[in-house]
Each structure stands twice: as structure tokens, then as C-alpha cells.
Amino acid sequence: MRLFAAVVPPEEALRELGAAVDRLHTFPDADGLRWTGRPGWHFTLAFMGEVDEELLPELRERLGRAAHRSESFPLRLHEGGHFGRRALWIGAAGGLDAMRMLAERADAAARRAGVAMDEHRAYHAHLTIARTRENSDLRPYVDALSGFEGTPWTVSRLVLFRSNLPRSGTAGEQPRYETVESWPLEG
Ligand code: ATP
Ligand code: MG
């Protein structure tokens, strides 16, 4: 199964983001983007990819311990950015050091559970709102998000998600992301 660990913003923050993204949909080339599903909006902490079912008990155990050791932290949605011409995202501000620490612990938990994790890249907190279908210039979208600040909240849970890749012809049949388990941050 395909797994990743993430942080999910609360309803209020998601509503604020929804309103900002609605405005982006009015851009002339907005149809050239593949907008991500709103029910699935999240900040990925650690992407595990395909994980052998056998590893799941130990993975859950270790992620639970990582959450137990980690402190809750403040976060807010903050401006936009892009990765090349590929992805448009909303950034975060507030407890970014604590978030990076949580991401590193989730990564380490997965490694120790035997998950083959990609090489370390610098962690960059982002919530992907669109991916490109064509070679789109994402800068106008980022400019439009300049100054965007969401209401702060306290991140107090680590969530392990299963990602169901869409199979052609069965769109909407199963949830895109399913919660496997979530743990409170109690450090
Ligand atoms: P799709 O792949 O259909 O566009 P998706 O990227 O949302 O959808 P997944 O590929 O299962 O679904 O990814 C789940 C989450 O993990 C997303 O936030 C995605 O950006 C992130 N992710 C996916 N692949 C990687 C990777 N190689 N490294 C880091 N994060 C990744
Ligand atoms: Mg993907």
C-alpha cells in the first residue's frame, strides 16, 4: 500500500484556503492545471511510497512513538510558491522548526521500520494545490497569493494516510486518501 505521513489543517484554515483557491480558478489558464481535491488537502511530512503490509505494525508503533515525543506547535497558511513548472503550493509559517523536527522523526520512524525511504532532501513545508498538465507559468498564481495569511492553529496530530491512486474508469469510487491511524503530539 502507498503511504505517507502528514499534517491536516482544521476546517477554518481549509475554508480560508478554499476561498483563496476559488479566486485562482478564475485565471484564464486555470483549466490547464490539475487542482488537488479539497477533502485531501494536507502538508506531507514524510512520503513512504509502496510499503509492504508486513511492515505496517512496526511502522505504526514507531510513528506513534515519534508523535508521543513531539511537541504540538503553531502553524498558519502563508503565501504561495511553486516547484518549477510542476506544482503550485501554499506555504506555512509559525512553528516551522518543530514541523521539520516532526518530519525528520516520521522519516526516521519509517526507515527504522524497514521502509526504503528516498535520500534526504531539505524539508520544505508545502500544501500542493495544483499540478500542471501543460507547461504552465505558475508565477501569476504565486503573485496572486502574495500576502495570503491564514488564521493560526495548533498542530496537535500526526496522521498516517493511505493513498489510493486513481484507476481509470473508477474515479470517485474510493477515497483518494484514507486515514490509517493518527496520533496526538504529546511531547
Ligand atoms: P498524484 O500522484 O495522483 O498526482 P498525489 O501526489 O496527491 O496524487 P501521491 O503520489 O500518493 O498522491 O502522494 C501523496 C503525498 O505525498 C502528496 O502530498 C505528494 O505530493 C507527496 N509525494 C508523492 N511522491 C513524493 C515523493 N517522491 N517525495 C516526496 N513527497 C511525495
Ligand atoms: Mg504523486
Side-chain angles (χ1 to χ4, degrees):
M1 64 188 85
R2 189 177 173 94
L3 299 175
F4 64 100
V7 158
V8 180
E11 278 304 321
E12 187 184 12
L14 292 173
R15 264 199 310 277
E16 292 167 347
L17 178 56
V21 172
D22 283 345
R23 291 192 287 278
L24 302 181
H25 281 306
T26 65
F27 282 38
D29 60 348
D31 289 347
L33 300 184
R34 199 155 53 85
W35 298 90
T36 56
R38 296 181 183 205
W41 276 346
H42 63 269
F43 287 93
T44 300
L45 291 168
F47 179 74
M48 291 148 208
E50 204 56 41
V51 174
D52 216 317
E53 194 128 12
E54 282 173 8
L55 302 181
L56 195 54
E58 188 169 352
L59 175 62
R60 289 163 86 141
E61 173 81 32
R62 289 187 180 275
L63 284 173
R65 258 185 269 157
H68 180 76
R69 285 200 308 271
S70 301
E71 283 179 36
S72 56
F73 56 91
L75 204 70
R76 65 179 190 275
L77 303 176
H78 170 78
E79 305 211 312
H82 63 113
F83 292 141
R85 286 179 171 259
R86 290 173 293 120
L88 174 66
W89 44 263
I90 297 289
L96 290 180
D97 288 343
M99 191 163 179
R100 183 176 305 108
M101 172 87 80
L102 184 60
E104 282 168 6
R105 285 177 171 158
D107 180 276
R111 268 172 216 283
R112 291 191 187 122
V115 178
M117 299 293 286
D118 276 350
E119 278 314 295
H120 260 305
R121 276 186 286 174
Y123 180 71
H124 190 290
H126 67 279
L127 185 162
T128 301
I129 53 172
R131 296 196 177 81
T132 45
R133 267 200 282 251
E134 295 142 25
N135 208 13
S136 307
D137 181 5
L138 295 172
R139 284 171 303 183
Y141 294 93
V142 173
D143 290 344
L145 291 164
S146 150
F148 174 72
E149 295 289 342
T151 304
W153 77 92
T154 301
V155 176
S156 56
R157 288 197 95 76
L158 167 67
V159 187
L160 177 63
F161 281 108
R162 174 178 188 163
S163 170
N164 299 303
L165 292 179
R167 286 172 296 164
S168 57
T170 61
E173 200 172 75
Q174 55 178 354
R176 186 73 178 80
Y177 307 123
E178 285 174 84
T179 301
V180 175
E181 191 166 352
S182 80
W183 301 269
L185 305 183
E186 320 178 286

